[in-house]
Amino acid sequence: MNQTSTVPEEDLTDAFRVFNDLSEQLIDSFTVLENRVATLSAELAATREARRREAAKSAQLTDRLAKLLAALPGGVIVVDGAGCVQEANPAAGELLGEPLRGEIWRDVIGRAFQSDTAAGPDVYLHDGRAVSISTCPMAGEPGQILLLQDVSETHQLHERLARHKRLSAMGEMAASLAHQIRTPLSTALLYVSHLARPNIDSGDVTMITERIRDRLGHLDSLVRDMLVFARGGSSESAEIDVSELMQDLRDAAEPMLGADFELDLQPEVAGRAVRGNRDALLGALQNLVVNAIQACGAGGRIEIRATAISDEEVALLVCDNGPGIPEDIQDRIFEPFFTTRGAGTGLGLAVVQAVAHAHQGSVWFESTPGGGSSIGLCLPTSGRAGFGTSVTQ
Ligand SMILES: Nc1ncnc2c1ncn2[C@@H]1O[C@H](COP(=O)(O)OP(=O)(O)OP(=O)(O)O)[C@@H](O)[C@H]1O
Ligand SMILES: [Mg+2]
């Protein structure tokens, strides 16, 4: 016998209602999910579009930068932390020669630049062009950006301008020069006329000849100073050992100075060299020694000193314990023809300055009224020992 159990009708109705509710909830959740997917897809598409636009923009920037680098008249080189050239524009290639990219910067320096000449902060290429190099570190990564500029024309212009200035200074001072020459010349002529006297004895002849020689010597050194000043030093150039130069100065100065002087060579100048004209430098330093002797008088103390200012510069100084330079004339002492001495030409320090400039250096002085003076030349050392390291490290 089959026995069927019957589910009460209200239970079935409840079950259907629950089922319906659940179905509706599911449909709602699905709709929410569908909407969310649509929103996310739209956001993704927008992000993709933004990225695509950004990529296009940065490609455009890179392209613009490359064009800019190619168009720049100056050389640009990017050196990485290991000292290797990463980037170089055509102007850099034209200055330094190819290849550049991938090369070690130190090797490029050795290959492209003259090792023993420097024009102040600038360096010379093998073909004679002068190049100024400035560096700036890369932001956020090791390495440097180097900017190179051909400054040969600027150098020539500076030289021409300096020469014009010197010539116009000489023009202005022509009258004073005529006076400077006339005095020793007329003295010499006077002595010559004494020589023509009848019955002159041999002692007088010797004495007068000596005086004539002295006056002519004065004229000779005056004319030599004028020429050095007009040329702006000298164009001849050789490697000069600083210690040897100072020893030469000592030998030249010793007969004038006697025992009251000292030569002080600081150890860091050993092996240092400058490039230029030995005679011009020696002459300039001798002018300083003569000034020191004239300032000190008898019993004065004079020191000739060579010292390093930096890796790339030395100072050659003459120091005395004389009366010092009065403050009110300190800014005039390098002017041609400025003198406070009756017999002076006022060319001594002008020549020193012209020689210093001709060697890409400068003059330096320190003087305390009543406390002596130190006057000298600051000169770049040749070889630029620190050059390679400063740009690759
Ligand atoms: N060591 C020094 N101490 C004090 N004053 C100095 C010293 N050196 C130079 N001067 C001053 O600077 C002036 C200019 O010097 P500079 O050597 O150019 O010419 P000068 O010595 O007068 O003449 P010149 O050297 O042509 O015979 C001097 O007249 C002097 O007043
Ligand atoms: Mg002098």
Side-chain angles (χ1 to χ4, degrees):
M1 190 174 87
N2 277 342
Q3 209 178 13
T4 52
S5 60
T6 54
V7 180
E9 199 176 318
E10 55 272 27
D11 282 358
L12 265 175
T13 313
D14 277 351
F16 273 124
R17 199 170 31 78
V18 169
F19 179 76
N20 275 342
D21 285 352
L22 276 174
S23 300
E24 269 167 29
Q25 268 178 25
L26 264 174
I27 289 169
D28 283 352
S29 300
F30 184 72
T31 314
V32 168
L33 216 63
E34 250 185 350
N35 287 343
R36 183 88 191 109
V37 167
T39 318
L40 284 174
S41 302
E43 276 175 15
L44 195 68
T47 314
R48 269 200 204 126
E49 177 58 19
R51 260 206 216 131
R52 194 195 58 74
R53 259 190 259 131
E54 248 170 50
K57 215 180 198 176
S58 83
Q60 201 181 19
L61 262 177
T62 313
D63 184 51
R64 203 180 290 168
L65 195 65
K67 282 190 182 132
L68 195 74
L69 276 180
L72 269 181
V76 180
I77 287 189
V78 179
V79 178
D80 65 16
C84 189
V85 177
Q86 273 187 337
E87 286 291 338
N89 72 343
E94 194 278 319
L95 281 171
L96 306 178
E98 298 290 355
L100 286 174
R101 213 171 288 185
E103 297 286 298
I104 301 294
W105 174 239
R106 226 180 248 280
D107 297 344
V108 177
I109 292 173
R111 170 188 94 191
F113 295 111
Q114 296 179 24
S115 57
D116 55 349
T117 58
D122 307 327
V123 281
Y124 280 113
L125 294 171
H126 283 301
D127 62 11
R129 282 182 291 175
V131 174
S132 103
I133 301 182
S134 48
T135 62
C136 72
M138 291 216 277
E141 55 176 317
Q144 308 243 29
I145 300 173
L146 311 176
L147 305 173
L148 295 90
Q149 210 173 348
D150 183 348
V151 288
S152 317
E153 221 167 281
T154 322
H155 276 211
Q156 283 162 9
L157 280 177
H158 276 157
E159 266 163 39
R160 237 178 282 162
L161 188 69
R163 191 174 151 75
H164 280 154
K165 272 191 188 158
R166 284 195 304 276
L167 289 177
S168 72
M170 285 177 70
E172 279 170 26
M173 297 296 172
S176 160
L177 179 67
H179 171 73
Q180 299 293 348
I181 290 178
R182 202 181 57 189
T183 312
L185 197 60
S186 34
T187 318
L189 283 173
L190 195 70
Y191 284 132
V192 171
S193 67
H194 288 334
L195 276 183
R197 274 196 324 232
N199 308 326
I200 185 164
D201 70 51
S202 65
D204 284 349
V205 170
T206 314
M207 188 261 289
I208 290 173
T209 314
E210 198 44 54
R211 287 189 181 161
I212 291 173
R213 195 202 311 276
D214 177 64
R215 292 297 79 203
L216 292 181
H218 181 73
L219 271 177
D220 182 50
S221 70
L222 177 68
V223 170
R224 204 173 42 228
D225 277 356
M226 286 297 296
L227 286 176
V228 174
F229 178 68
R231 275 201 306 261
S234 170
S235 52
E236 284 168 46
S237 185
E239 189 97 349
I240 305 160
D241 183 274
V242 171
S243 306
E244 279 175 26
L245 179 71
M246 297 313 271
Q247 295 292 350
D248 286 353
L249 176 62
R250 178 209 185 98
D251 293 344
E254 214 160 15
M256 299 186 268
L257 286 163
D260 273 332
F261 91 105
E262 213 171 79
L263 174 65
D264 174 27
L265 293 178
Q266 294 293 315
E268 70 271 10
V269 297
R272 296 282 193 106
V274 294
R275 225 187 145 70
N277 182 300
R278 177 185 290 269
D279 289 344
L281 284 173
L282 204 57
L285 288 163
Q286 272 175 282
N287 278 353
L288 296 178
V289 172
V290 171
N291 279 355
I293 295 173
Q294 286 162 349
C296 291
R301 182 141 191 82
I302 292 165
E303 186 182 327
I304 299 169
R305 187 184 299 164
T307 180
I309 302 172
S310 68
D311 272 0
E312 296 169 358
E313 225 182 347
V314 288
L316 313 179
L317 306 173
V318 176
C319 314
D320 65 63
N321 65 349
I325 304 167
E327 255 165 39
D328 57 330
I329 64 160
Q330 286 191 357
D331 56 351
R332 300 199 58 200
I333 56 171
F334 292 100
E335 271 177 27
F337 304 108
F338 175 80
T339 180
T340 56
R341 296 190 309 108
T345 63
L347 275 175
L349 289 181
V351 164
V352 173
Q353 189 171 47
V355 169
H357 288 171
H359 288 76
Q360 280 84 46
S362 54
V363 283
W364 181 91
F365 79 95
E366 193 173 63
S367 183
T368 331
S373 313
S374 297
I375 311 185
L377 295 89
C378 300
L379 301 174
T381 45
S382 59
R384 292 175 67 85
F387 172 58
T389 41
S390 66
V391 285
T392 52
Q393 284 172 1

